Amino acid sequence: MKTSGEHRGGWAALTLCALGILGSAPPGKAAESGAEVADGATLARIRDAAMSQDWAFRRLGELTDRIGPRLSGSPQLDAAVAQVAAAMRTLGAEVSLQPVKVPHWVRGAEQGELVDFPGRPAGVTQQLHLTALGGSGATPAAGLTARVIAVHDFEELQARAAEVRGNIVAFDSRFDQRLADNGRAGDAYGQAGQYRFGGPARAAALGAVAVLVRSIGGADYRLPHTGATVWRDGQTAIPAAALAAEDSDLIMRLAAAGPVVLKLVLTPRTLPDADSSNVIADWRGRERPDEVVIVSGHLDSWDLATGATDDGVGVMAAAAVIEVLRQLDLHPRRTIRFVGWTNEENGGRGGQAYFASVAGSMARQTAAIESDEGAGRSLGLNAAITAESEQTLKPVLDALRTIGATALSRTQGEVGADIFPLQEAGVPGFAPLVDARHYFDYHHTAADTLDKVNPVDMNTQVATMAVLAYYLAELPTPLPQLAAAARRR
Ligand SMILES: [Zn+2]
């Protein structure tokens, strides 16, 4: 369906003009008035429409309740691609599917049992709560049994390197909830996360036969938190699992008293790469349709739960930006491009494929927004932009004042995994600055389900992205790209 031009001057716009909401420019005039920026009244209407719609939460319910977990290679991810593409077509967006080859890793049996430890009464063993990390190798079907080398960090691993060969390394690095409580959840995730991302590869390089990693999370409900681990080039994947925090504590206590022996069964499989797609839905710009502002989230999720907060909430909040613009019949200068990324969790291939497809026309990628920090309420913007751009964004934060989303946190770092390749090429990157204090309580666990999402909080993310995307798409001149800005200095 064509969405530009012909119906912009229709009854809806006239009615809004009659109400004095659109200001004095008659419909269709904006094309000639190249220097105007989005006015505050329009931004306020976008905010209010975002806060009062329930499209986003209803779509999230359909994604999580009807489809469920959406790991790359699964039929559920295919279903999610189809469901979201259909929803975007219904809104009148121009939808295309961008083919992407994705890794295909499938969980198998998983069981851990402490079969010997200091002071063990005869006949007693201890069951562990664990789950394989994405990319984990497999034990023999009957499992393997080995001694546990329990360490807190990489320094300790290095000091005990001579003991590692033939044994199981257990990393016990604690998620620092105090950081998360103080608005630094991402830092806490990065600090503990390095042991999940890179610990198994380091231990394997020292000859370990398997690795356990303390779960990265802030709440202790004896839930293991899965997530991807990364092997070195040419390295054979060994079995690697996340342990529930309580079980990691147990192993550390027992290991401090003497040798601990673990029997581990993990039988995941890595299959040939599978076919998937990014869902791209364009809300066509009225003046410069070739220039785009991306709003996005990722469609895939881990397999233990329904991925409601990671990243169902983000992808549906981003999709709802188009619904809000449809409701208000607003077509900014540039195209607003929704992208539902595939394969964020265990490969990042969706973001990479998109980047490769636009590498020759980076100037037309004027900004990229991604929501992937959970379901918390928006406090403002996380922005990878030049210092001078801060002032340009003031009207956005002014418009978001009534919902309390007024903070602007400027960063040189990654604001979204899927848009990071664009960011690195200089494209201004944004994310809602989300209250993530409790995001890691359920992150990548079996408890990441719809009940964890507050629809009002979700709508603050819709409002943040809708106001920002519209404003950016309406700017007479796009924000400066970062690489270009750096070259001028
Ligand atoms: Zn995510």
Side-chain angles (χ1 to χ4, degrees):
M1 175 180 166
K2 287 274 188 297
T3 53
S4 60
E6 68 268 20
H7 70 271
R8 191 157 30 84
W11 66 269
L14 288 170
T15 304
L16 294 168
C17 273
L19 293 169
I21 294 170
L22 276 186
S24 56
K29 263 284 187 248
E32 286 90 56
S33 56
E36 288 173 14
V37 297
D39 62 282
T42 303
L43 298 181
R45 288 171 55 228
I46 294 170
R47 175 202 64 213
D48 291 346
M51 291 305 294
S52 58
Q53 54 76 36
D54 65 357
W55 188 94
F57 188 75
R58 282 190 288 113
R59 288 288 165 191
L60 176 62
E62 287 188 9
L63 183 73
T64 56
D65 287 353
R66 312 252 173 101
I67 294 177
R70 305 174 296 281
L71 192 56
S72 288
S74 66
Q76 289 93 335
L77 181 56
D78 293 344
V81 166
Q83 188 194 76
V84 172
M88 302 314 282
R89 279 189 201 102
T90 303
L91 296 183
E94 296 170 18
V95 176
S96 57
L97 300 184
Q98 180 172 51
V100 183
K101 284 278 186 199
V102 296
H104 191 184
W105 177 88
V106 182
R107 189 175 302 283
E110 36 197 34
Q111 193 182 4
E113 188 177 18
L114 296 178
V115 295
D116 202 10
F117 45 85
R120 181 178 70 92
V124 170
T125 62
Q126 302 251 30
Q127 292 291 328
L128 302 174
H129 288 242
L130 54 73
T131 193
L133 296 179
S136 168
T139 65
L144 63 79
T145 301
R147 190 179 152 207
V148 178
I149 308 298
V151 301
H152 294 92
D153 53 36
F154 291 133
E155 290 68 30
E156 208 175 333
L157 177 70
Q158 213 48 52
R160 300 184 63 184
E163 300 173 60
V164 168
R165 186 161 299 280
N167 289 320
I168 298 170
V169 170
F171 288 103
D172 182 76
S173 174
R174 197 174 277 267
F175 179 86
D176 191 343
Q177 183 60 34
R178 294 165 307 174
L179 283 178
D181 287 341
N182 286 283
R184 293 283 183 178
D187 292 339
Y189 185 63
Q191 287 174 9
Q194 61 182 318
Y195 294 95
R196 190 194 83 208
F197 310 140
R202 284 217 207 185
L206 295 173
V209 293
V211 178
L212 302 176
V213 181
R214 183 188 179 103
S215 284
I216 310 167
D220 299 332
Y221 299 119
R222 214 174 176 190
L223 286 170
H225 298 233
T226 191
T229 194
V230 180
W231 305 103
R232 297 174 184 173
D233 285 344
Q235 196 172 36
T236 299
I238 62 172
L243 265 182
E246 293 86 342
D247 294 286
S248 190
D249 284 341
L250 170 65
I251 287 179
M252 296 307 284
R253 288 194 299 269
L254 293 175
V260 172
V261 178
L262 170 68
K263 182 182 177 197
L264 182 66
V265 178
L266 285 183
T267 61
R269 288 173 302 150
T270 298
L271 303 173
D273 284 357
D275 291 314
S276 186
S277 306
N278 291 326
V279 175
I280 298 177
D282 283 351
W283 188 249
R284 198 174 163 80
R286 65 166 194 274
E287 212 177 285
R288 298 184 213 158
D290 292 345
E291 297 182 3
V292 303
V293 171
I294 293 169
V295 289
S296 66
H298 66 84
L299 280 169
D300 65 309
S301 80
W302 281 106
D303 56 337
L304 299 177
T306 61
T309 73
D310 186 9
D311 185 29
V313 86
V315 75
M316 288 314 185
V321 169
I322 308 297
E323 160 62 9
V324 168
L325 297 179
R326 185 201 63 79
Q327 271 185 27
L328 300 176
D329 198 22
L330 287 171
H331 289 268
R333 246 181 261 282
R334 297 181 188 81
T335 292
I336 294 186
R337 170 169 290 174
F338 163 79
V339 186
W341 306 105
T342 190
N343 185 231
E344 187 276 340
E345 292 292 2
N346 61 338
R349 302 264 186 91
Q352 292 159 18
Y354 181 84
F355 178 75
S357 74
V358 299
S361 57
M362 205 54 69
R364 285 186 233 144
Q365 311 296 307
T366 65
I369 309 168
E370 178 167 16
S371 169
D372 185 21
E373 294 295 324
R377 88 180 171 88
S378 170
L379 306 170
L381 303 176
N382 194 18
I385 53 173
T386 64
E388 312 83 80
S389 297
E390 285 197 32
Q391 188 58 28
T392 312
L393 292 168
K394 188 172 178 299
V396 173
L397 299 171
D398 287 346
L400 296 172
R401 184 169 302 279
T402 59
I403 62 166
T406 54
L408 194 159
S409 175
R410 194 164 67 83
T411 176
Q412 303 303 315
E414 173 187 311
V415 300
D418 300 291
I419 62 171
F420 191 55
L422 294 166
Q423 257 187 272
E424 285 190 303
V427 176
F430 295 90
L433 182 66
V434 168
D435 178 348
R437 268 175 291 186
H438 295 294
Y439 179 39
F440 293 100
D441 291 2
Y442 308 112
H443 181 255
H444 295 185
T445 72
D448 182 2
T449 45
L450 186 63
D451 52 290
K452 309 306 184 303
V453 179
N454 175 321
V456 177
D457 289 345
M458 183 181 186
N459 282 355
T460 64
Q461 295 199 36
V462 179
T464 299
M465 289 194 282
V467 169
L468 174 64
Y470 180 84
Y471 180 82
L472 293 172
E474 193 66 3
L475 277 177
T477 308
L479 294 180
Q481 301 222 341
L482 273 81
R487 275 199 299 275
R488 280 200 302 274
R489 290 205 182 97

